[in-house]
Amino acid sequence: VGQYIVALTLVLFVTGLLILVGGAESLVRGSSALALRLGITPLVIGLTVVAFGTSSPELAVSIESALSGSSSIALGNVIGSNIANIGLILGITAIIRPMSVQPSLLKQQIPLMIVISFVIWAMAADMAITFWDGFILVAALIGFLLHSYRSSKDSPEEEELLPCEVQSLKDKTWFCILLILIGLAGLIGGGMLFVRSAVEIAQIYNVDEAIIGLTIVAIGTSMPELATSVVAAIRKESDIAIGNIVGSNIFNILAILGIASLISPLSGSGFSTADYLVMISFAVILLPMAWSGRTLSRPEGTVLLLGYLSYMAYIWP
């Protein structure tokens, strides 16, 4: 019976991953076309709509974890996802296709990601993310969204040429919205299926809750970012690929930890200083990498990926 349960869980695991990939493709197409239609740059769409969409599984898992009293999974999910987003996902995506970097990412979004990574470490110094910490994070999220929208209107970025099928969709507003909704549904549904099956597999082998959050759950909930970024890179939409990752990391801290801690205080026990420092280090190292030639190259992607694999080897029991 135990073997059948493991086999069924593996089937659900793969099914969830396939749904995630389909949802990512739908979301990238719909949001890219909507960007053209509304006169908003693909970079800003990647930083907001796509970032929030691909962070939905993290939000669902973190809220569920907070409500069920497993708040270590909620915090570990965000720390682990932010590390995976840069090390694993940007690493793999840059190896597939070097990514160009917009000036506003270098001047605004990446520095913001670095600052709030330090902030969350400071907030967790008392071993908890409290209600008032969550209030501050959500207020900062609202400010970030307003600033992103206004800056896109005041000084539009130079857009990359989008594929013909995306351009042909730009006048079909409702169809674009439908694609985005289908994509979000696929990401949320596939993400939950993927994560639940992954957690069940991990629990069979009695792995600690904080480690599950930092590894299995974090990688699982980062699958939408991986699928979306790889698809965007292959389709030569690097604005969305790298903007999506930076935006997702900002959303993970401000929105997911913010909302989850408003529902219930999050426990910071089970995490070492090393976990926070690794998250901060990946955020910091991304800035000089992106600044050099305003591209993220294959060698740089390889360094990120190797760094991530080293961290996994370090924390996995």
Side-chain angles (χ1 to χ4, degrees), residues 46-249:
L47 282 165
T48 53
V49 176
V50 181
F52 188 76
T54 55
S55 290
S56 296
E58 281 97 331
L59 181 60
V61 169
S62 294
I63 289 175
E64 188 176 290
S65 300
L67 290 172
S68 63
S70 301
S71 60
S72 289
I73 286 184
L75 182 56
N77 179 23
V78 168
I79 296 171
S81 288
N82 278 21
I83 293 169
N85 280 350
I86 295 175
L88 178 66
I89 295 168
L90 278 187
I92 290 174
T93 309
I95 290 170
I96 293 172
R97 185 187 297 277
M99 291 177 285
S100 62
V101 182
Q102 290 282 8
S104 71
L105 274 173
L106 297 171
K107 297 172 184 175
Q108 298 175 28
Q109 284 85 25
I110 294 177
L112 173 62
M113 177 178 66
I114 294 169
V115 169
I116 62 174
S117 296
F118 276 104
V119 167
I120 205 65
W121 182 29
M123 284 181 170
D126 58 356
M127 292 299 165
I129 307 294
T130 65
F131 174 88
W132 291 110
D133 290 334
F135 182 83
I136 293 168
L137 293 173
V138 171
L141 171 69
I142 294 169
F144 166 69
L145 291 175
L146 290 173
H147 175 74
S148 294
Y149 181 75
R150 285 173 182 167
S151 63
S152 75
K153 291 297 185 183
D154 294 341
S155 54
E157 302 284 348
E158 187 176 327
E159 297 180 14
E160 292 197 0
L161 184 64
L162 296 176
C164 295
E165 61 266 32
V166 171
Q167 295 183 22
S168 67
L169 288 175
K170 72 175 183 177
D171 295 324
K172 302 174 183 176
T173 305
W174 289 108
F175 186 66
C176 293
I177 293 171
L178 179 63
L179 281 176
I180 291 172
L181 292 175
I182 291 171
L184 291 176
L187 290 168
I188 295 168
M192 293 300 293
L193 188 62
F194 183 94
V195 168
R196 286 180 180 178
S197 56
V199 170
E200 284 180 25
I201 292 169
Q203 287 176 339
I204 290 171
Y205 299 100
N206 297 316
V207 181
D208 182 73
E209 190 178 275
I211 299 296
I212 290 175
L214 284 167
T215 56
I216 302 293
V217 175
I219 293 170
T221 55
S222 289
M223 281 297 114
E225 283 92 338
L226 176 60
T228 303
S229 294
V230 168
V231 167
I234 290 171
R235 300 169 74 84
K236 300 182 180 179
E237 297 167 19
S238 62
D239 279 5
I240 286 183
I242 193 164
N244 168 40
I245 292 302
V246 175
S248 287
N249 279 16

Side-chain angles (χ1 to χ4, degrees), residues 99-101 106 288-296 300:
M99 291 177 285
S100 62
V101 182
L106 297 171
M289 282 185 171
W291 206 288
S292 60
R294 288 187 176 172
T295 58
L296 201 60
E300 289 166 338

Side-chain angles (χ1 to χ4, degrees), residues 10-71:
L10 286 171
V11 170
L12 293 175
F13 182 87
V14 175
T15 302
L17 181 60
L18 293 174
I19 294 172
L20 283 173
V21 173
E25 170 71 12
S26 179
L27 185 63
V28 169
R29 284 196 182 200
S31 61
S32 301
L34 197 61
L36 291 180
R37 176 68 175 169
L38 300 178
I40 300 172
T41 62
L43 173 63
V44 173
I45 289 289
L47 282 165
T48 53
V49 176
V50 181
F52 188 76
T54 55
S55 290
S56 296
E58 281 97 331
L59 181 60
V61 169
S62 294
I63 289 175
E64 188 176 290
S65 300
L67 290 172
S68 63
S70 301
S71 60

